[in-house]
Amino acid sequence: MSISQDLLKARSYLTVILGFMLAFGIVFYVEKNNKSTDMKIPQLQLSENFPNLPAPRELNYQEAIWARIAWQYFINNTQVSGLVNSAEGHPYTSLWDNASYLLAIISAHQLGIIDDREFDARMQKALNALSILPLYQGNVPYLYYSTADLKPLTTTYDVDYSLVDVGRLLMAFKVIVWRYPQYNALVQQTLSHWDLGALFNMEKDNSSLKSRHNQSYFRPNNYRSGYGYSLYAANGLSLINTWAGIVLTNSKQQHDFAKVNGLSIPVDGSLMLQEKSYPVINSLPYVLSGLENGFNTETAEISWSIIQVQESLNQNSYRHSYVNMGFSNPIPRLSSKKTKSDFLSPSTDDDQPQKRVKLSLSTQAAFGWYALFNTPWTEQVRQKASDLFIPGKGWLDGVEAYSQQPSGLITATTNAVILESLVYTAQGKMICIACQKTKLATAAQSLGSQ
Amino acid sequence: MRLLPFNLPPYLRIFGHFVVSVLAVAALLLGGTFSAQAEKLPAQGYPVRHGELTEREKAVANRAWEFFVTNYQPATGLVNAVNNYPSTTMWDTASYIAALIAARELAIIDKPEFDKRMIKLLGTLNTIPLFRNQMPNKAYNTITAQKVNYVNKPGEIGFSALDGGRMLVWLRAIKERYPEYANSVDNIVLRWDFTNVIDGCGTMYGAILDGNNQPMYVQEGRLGYEEYAARGFQLWGFNTCQASRPEPYQFADIYCVMVPYDSRDPREHHQHNYVLTEPFILQGMEFGWGADKTNAQEKAAITPEWIRDFADRVYQAQENRYLITGMLTARSEHQLDRAPYFVYDTVFSDGYDWNTITDKGEFVPETSAVSMKAALGMWTLWNSPYTDRLFDTIENATEKGKGYYEGLYENGSGPIHEFTANNNGIMLEALLFKKEGNLLKLRAQNSQASDFVPSIWNQKLLNVFEENNKRLNRPFISADKGTRSWCQRTGVALREAPACSACQCAQCNGDQPVKLPPALSSCTKP
């Protein structure tokens, strides 16, 4: 038989073999050329070394005392109006700080520091005060108010109102509605005075999603901005309407991420210490995301990266002066212009808000990170922060990076975060859906709560 | 026997048993480290202060002694209890004795001055008229040494078992430190009639006068003071079982500390169940605790563990009040420089915490103060940043020639412009404690030495033929070997306790250990 005749006889087999080879060739070609795209945001995947998260446990004695030291701030700084000063000695407040106050009241009640009666008195007064605040263009509260007479204050920030603050307040309302449903009516009533939906225009133009007031949403401002805040605020603001939820999770925003020691972390500033540059991270929004709403993969991954970066930088830094960076809580410089009307005047160039003080040890971050990730490093940091309080006044913001002196500020947010972190340790995250049984009966509280 | 659930390769099989034992030990160690460590109060970890006095501390001692110079009454050897007011009690006189001894030991005065004062004082106490010939009256005029009432006019009030108890502690202290005075001291106590002051079960009673001027004997003492005064009686041989037991007590949850208080109902018994720092610091300083416990053989001189535990709680609640509210706290009863003149400034009393009340129970919170003696007592017994701060605060609250103010008002209105023997005396005790440790130092006596003679008190009490023993209800004391042989040599018939001591008091078991609940409160269980 000749070769060609053999081939003819075997043509079906050959066809099959050729077909397989063709198919495999196509497959290899497609596989090789179709590179799997890197996830644009690597933190949407939980890393290999992500630790086990701590389970709730009883507080120990020291923690019980620390909680009471934090609560003392609110005892001292609650004003007649029902709202709380942003910081000791600073007679003004913002929505953010009042949200901190509401969460502090809830935390103190859950930890047995205040009883039902005091809880009710404070909560009602605060919610009522919020509901009578004068509003910006009738929709949303201003940035800062005087705590004495609830009049809005002109500040040197370049925003008139803050959606981030509204987001925190809505988060606080979320907690109230789940855990203290008897306050639903009062919360609804407070919100009914505002028109938050009007802030989100159901329109999309070709460059960016805009809010009604032509303020490009979450553009960087000098009040509270950054990726962390946008992640955190989304939890609360998405309650408003569908468009708000979409706008907030649209990732066309600019983020400032840097790679430090191989880990990608959000950076809010930098600091020179002993001629080395260190990244400064505002941990606060990530801490709050974990303590209140609970982590998702993204916030968990970012948080874990932050902690790892801090630990490695601390071990390498000379004399461990870098411990866990953060910022002092913002204190506004009130504009020298005083206006009588409800409209805020635009700030002038020479009025700058007070620069945010960089901290080498942030008390609220120390407590928050320990509660969320109970590791030896976070425990060590919290221990370092454990004497940063003034007896009778509450917790300081931390240790200032440049001067290495304790910060002079005692703020509502720091003390609230400490209380929240201790509730987290004892019970888990603040939004908890089936936990009414934990605290409706009268708390067995310490008699010394005078 | 199969120790492991899998087969080891042959070369490892011989180590099978070894491996298992190593695993077991490792498991035990791991379990040990994770087992719940009972959490302790920080106070339980603060050591006592010990060492020579610094210049600042010497200055405090010198200034405190000035009170006893200004208020000394040479005619009687007594010292005014309150500045410029010629009246005193046995309690305050005992504080004077403490101050006198401290002044000598700290070299503020020399031996001649000490002897002059002591001789005069002991002489007065030996002849001082007693209440109905029983125990010393509650108050005496310091110039005449006559019994007086509360307005310092001649009269009688009654007697106090607590005052008597403190005096007994310090009389014993004199005997131990300065045996040359032992006879004088013994004769003082040999005059006292204990019939109505202490019963067979060891309960102490005070005397007051009723409407018809007849004495009424009422149980006296609450948790803290009761045990302290009982130690005094115990040091002289009395059985103080009931009084020395902490029961009945309950706990109040104050700033996350379970603070003990006497649970006898104040409404029924007309006695406030106050919780104060003073009786605890007195026990700590005078008898020592923890590592400073005296290693004397005498049970009366040893502080039971529970007293240290209760004292730690009373201290910690006050430290916590400072940490949380910023208010410096060192509370004890004290005089005032205006009406109502005297308050119980308590950690807890009559159902309320931080209760400041008069003797009649009137609530006077504006008079609450940092008490100097409490502050310095806390300073000497608990070495902590908080007590350092207390020292800084009180160091210069004085007036030259008068000693230390009674206290500093908590509301910030300044010092209590009053000066007392008790306050300055206890401050001197605190400083002497820092230098020497516990103040009641029992002298080692070898009763089997050939020249040994028991004290006069012991001689009389061991003598069956001493008629006053029964009449004055003196205790039965036990004789050791050396004392027995002395009695045999000198023809003294031994007076021994009746065989059935349980018949006297069935319900009290002095050796039963005191079980204590944890010091930490429900603060940690939300």
Side-chain angles (χ1 to χ4, degrees), chain A residues 226-240:
Chain A
Y227 190 55
Y229 278 122
S230 60
L231 276 185
Y232 170 67
N235 289 321
L237 289 173
S238 55
L239 288 170
I240 296 173

Side-chain angles (χ1 to χ4, degrees), chain B residues 9-315:
Chain B
Y11 49 88
L12 279 183
R13 222 168 272 162
I14 37 175
F15 295 110
H17 290 256
F18 175 67
V19 165
V20 169
S21 54
V22 164
L23 283 172
V25 169
L28 277 171
L29 284 172
L30 265 166
T33 50
F34 284 126
S35 67
Q37 296 275 353
E39 250 195 300
K40 292 166 72 153
L41 294 176
Q44 290 165 307
Y46 298 144
V48 302
R49 282 183 205 264
H50 194 64
E52 287 299 320
L53 295 190
T54 65
E55 286 309 311
R56 283 166 77 189
E57 293 156 13
K58 283 189 194 151
V60 173
N62 283 319
R63 182 52 56 89
W65 176 248
E66 286 172 22
F67 176 89
F68 300 96
V69 173
T70 311
N71 284 286
Y72 180 63
Q73 300 288 4
T76 57
L78 295 170
V79 167
N80 302 338
V82 175
N83 187 42
N84 228 16
Y85 188 66
S87 166
T88 190
T89 70
M90 285 296 112
W91 182 280
D92 299 298
T93 307
S95 294
Y96 166 50
I97 294 174
L100 187 56
I101 292 176
R104 173 165 174 187
E105 297 298 321
L106 295 173
I108 303 176
I109 60 175
D110 55 12
K111 184 172 187 295
E113 172 72 17
F114 176 84
D115 286 338
K116 189 181 82 169
R117 285 174 173 257
M118 186 59 84
I119 291 170
K120 196 81 199 152
L121 176 67
L122 294 180
T124 299
L125 290 175
N126 256 298
T127 54
I128 206 165
L130 304 170
F131 172 77
R132 307 285 164 106
N133 288 321
Q134 295 185 44
M135 297 282 292
N137 194 38
K138 276 189 184 168
Y140 286 93
N141 182 301
T142 48
I143 302 176
T144 64
Q146 292 306 307
K147 291 180 283 188
V148 290
N149 56 23
Y150 281 126
V151 292
N152 218 12
K153 296 275 180 293
E156 281 186 325
I157 307 171
F159 60 73
S160 161
L162 300 184
D163 289 9
R166 177 157 170 76
M167 178 55 82
L168 285 170
V169 171
W170 280 97
L171 288 175
R172 181 73 196 266
I174 299 174
K175 265 178 79 166
E176 295 298 321
R177 280 177 182 263
Y178 314 105
E180 60 270 27
Y181 292 109
N183 287 354
S184 294
V185 168
D186 280 340
N187 281 318
I188 295 172
V189 187
L190 285 167
R191 294 175 72 214
W192 293 359
D193 182 351
F194 293 95
T195 311
N196 294 312
V197 100
I198 186 163
D199 68 12
C201 292
T203 305
M204 299 178 310
Y205 297 83
I208 49 178
L209 292 172
D210 65 8
N212 296 325
N213 236 22
Q214 292 308 307
M216 274 191 340
Y217 303 103
V218 180
Q219 186 275 332
E220 190 182 352
R222 287 292 177 265
L223 182 71
Y225 280 115
E226 190 178 18
E227 291 78 26
Y228 172 66
R231 304 287 285 280
F233 286 90
Q234 206 183 0
L235 283 168
W236 287 82
F238 287 93
N239 163 36
T240 56
C241 189
Q242 286 282 29
S244 291
R245 299 279 314 164
E247 294 89 359
Y249 58 87
Q250 277 177 15
F251 291 99
D253 184 341
I254 302 181
Y255 288 125
C256 301
V257 179
M258 299 304 274
V259 175
Y261 64 92
D262 195 305
S263 52
R264 280 171 277 201
D265 191 331
R267 300 166 299 180
E268 280 174 26
H269 296 98
H270 305 288
Q271 282 191 57
H272 308 290
N273 56 357
Y274 34 61
V275 176
L276 302 159
T277 317
E278 188 164 327
F280 294 103
I281 56 174
L282 291 178
Q283 298 221 50
M285 298 190 295
E286 294 174 10
F287 299 95
W289 57 37
D292 293 275
K293 263 195 321 210
T294 171
N295 53 9
Q297 297 303 320
E298 211 174 316
K299 192 164 159 238
I302 301 173
T303 309
E305 270 311 307
W306 68 263
I307 291 191
R308 168 98 196 266
D309 183 277
F310 280 14
D312 283 333
R313 298 164 191 238
V314 174
Y315 169 85

